[in-house]
Amino acid sequence: MTQPPHTPLLDQVDTPDDLRRLKPEQLRQLADELRAEMIDAVSVSGGHLGSGLGVVELTVAIHYVFNTPEDKLVWDVGHQCYPHKIITGRRDRIRTLRQGGGLSGFTKRSESEYDPFGAAHSSTSISAALGFAIANKLQNRPGRGIAVIGDGSMSAGMAYEAMNNAAQAGNRLIVILNDNDMSIAPPVGGLSAYLARMVSSSEYLGIRSLASRAVKKMSRRLHDTIGKAEEFTRGMVTGGTLFEELGFYYVGPIDGHNLDHLLPVLENVRDTSEGPVLIHVVTEKGKGYAPAENSADKYHGVPKFNVVTGEKAKSAPSAPAYQDVFGLTLAKLAETDERICAITAAMPSGTGVDKFAKAHPTRSFDVGIAEQHAVTFAAGLAAEGMRPFAAIYSTFLQRAYDQVVHDVCIQNLPVRFAIDRAGLVGADGATHAGSFDITYLATLPNMVVMAASDEAELVHMTYTAAEYDEGPIAFRYPRGSGTGVPLPEVPEKLEIGKGRMVREGTKVAILSLGARLAEALKAADQLEAKGLSTSVADMRFAKPLDEELIAKLMRTHEVVVTIEEGAIGGLGAHVLTYATDEGLTDAGLKVRTMRLPDTFIDHDDPKKQYDEARLNAPHIVETVLKALKHNSASVEIEEVRA
């Protein structure tokens, strides 16, 4: 254990009102203390570190200059919001980040009035801030919309859609481009800081306005020519021509860690009648903490760590991570199939595509935060005879649903969807949970939907998808480590729409889809101990269903329970539809479906999340006993609740 940092100035700041009582010359010390507090807090809880370290000074400056929460501050994605949380009344809970009952790792409306808009997916901030700005304008109320968006998030089309519609907001909308990758900005120094102060100053804007009024009296052609010349000249000097074309007044780039540069520019922008305004701020991810600065990933996401050494806590994995199994399997398959290629939307390591890219760099594509493009790009590849794998988190594939329907399924193109983070995901909470993909994919004509029960099944499904050219196919798998089963040396090509029997019984049948299989087997053991002979089937496919297997089990068992790590409308709904259509329930068969509840489950340990969802072994047992009206059901229920 290390001693908490010494923070005498930060101790005086609970909210931005306290911050604004400080003198400008005190803000440097406050920023240093805020950075130290954040490092210490994340060392205890784990979480996103590098991005927050990069915006400490910017966070201080924004809350110092603007009247938050009346001015609505929207952080894009939100993983850089830890310093913001510390100075907006949540410092006393900051060490509960991402833990059950603790603070969210992202902004969250229910947490604080200083979080006006929840976020965790990228590129939404400008649209939301524009909504706040226009709402206040229409209601004749004060209040700006301020969006802080990273250069990575600016790669998504939604950001530009918002900017293209922002003109009506005028000076009520301020977009701060947090460029921490040096992908846009030229080197930052005294000259650029001077230029930023100059072009945002009231003197410059006043002269510009006077000149503009004078020029308007000239011919329209000359007026337009002079206007474009001024814009082009300023854009050439500062790099903002693109944003000017979208209707923004561009200021920057400026050093996002230099408060002497930040404060006057933000004050000028606050007080100007020009707008909307885009301020281009250059920051360094991981700033101020040497281990983060020297790390390739800038400590973007970290477990608990030693503050002094930067050493991260390590737990020996019992099995390889699912995404690594996928990536390595696909890379191996691609050695003998030159048609295989992999696409990721800015998540190469999270999806395992980095493993594929290392082996086959010319057939690996990271398209940035652009899931819509990723899916249609894959459709084009498939149409020309390639075998593309679009490796996208379940929650992020939601952003490309129209492309899945319109560009892939209607045309019956053989795009392979490798869907990571299926089911509940622990500390990232509801915003990253893979709750809906079974439902939104299995409802589509032409789509095949598989779910891996363990890492060996994932190997088989990756190979099956590679070999399937008849149309689109998807396979889902959870976050984290596998179950520890041996990986097959030679993958098996699965028969489409066929499940497998894992355990044979006579009275109860559990139809499991995906990674709940281990819990289903535990439940079967407990039911057997009560004298209830139990079958367990790994269905493998949500679509097409193994109708032959379902019919056989329904005709030979008293109770059939389906279980899946997805929302209503998935396996259970499809099984019930088939069963009622075929009259399999007419003779009194008891069918129960177990799925995620109709609610968003907050961040917590995954096992606790599945307890809350009632999808662990005791809940399966309880469901069966209640269906049978078993005389020990009430005892079992009490045991579960205890």
Side-chain angles (χ1 to χ4, degrees), residues 59 82 107 125 229 232 380 432 485 495 528 530 590:
T59 302
Y82 298 0
T107 52
S125 59
F232 180 74
H432 284 62
V485 299
E495 184 178 354
E528 290 280 356
K530 296 178 180 296
K590 299 175 177 65

Side-chain angles (χ1 to χ4, degrees), residues 14-86:
D14 186 51
T15 68
D17 284 338
D18 302 322
L19 171 66
R20 294 175 199 125
R21 295 189 185 99
L22 300 180
K23 298 175 181 177
E25 55 268 25
Q26 293 179 290
L27 298 184
R28 177 68 269 164
Q29 179 186 338
L30 179 79
D32 292 341
E33 293 180 10
L34 179 56
R35 179 172 278 111
E37 173 71 356
M38 180 191 164
I39 292 168
D40 189 74
V42 178
S43 77
V44 172
S45 66
H48 294 101
L49 182 64
S51 49
L53 292 176
V55 297
V56 169
E57 289 82 5
L58 182 60
T59 302
V60 169
I62 290 171
H63 282 295
Y64 189 75
V65 170
F66 292 98
N67 187 31
T68 54
E70 181 179 79
D71 291 330
K72 307 299 183 183
L73 174 58
V74 183
W75 296 94
D76 204 89
V77 181
H79 54 221
Q80 74 282 60
C81 70
Y82 298 0
H84 159 82
K85 293 199 176 199
I86 291 171

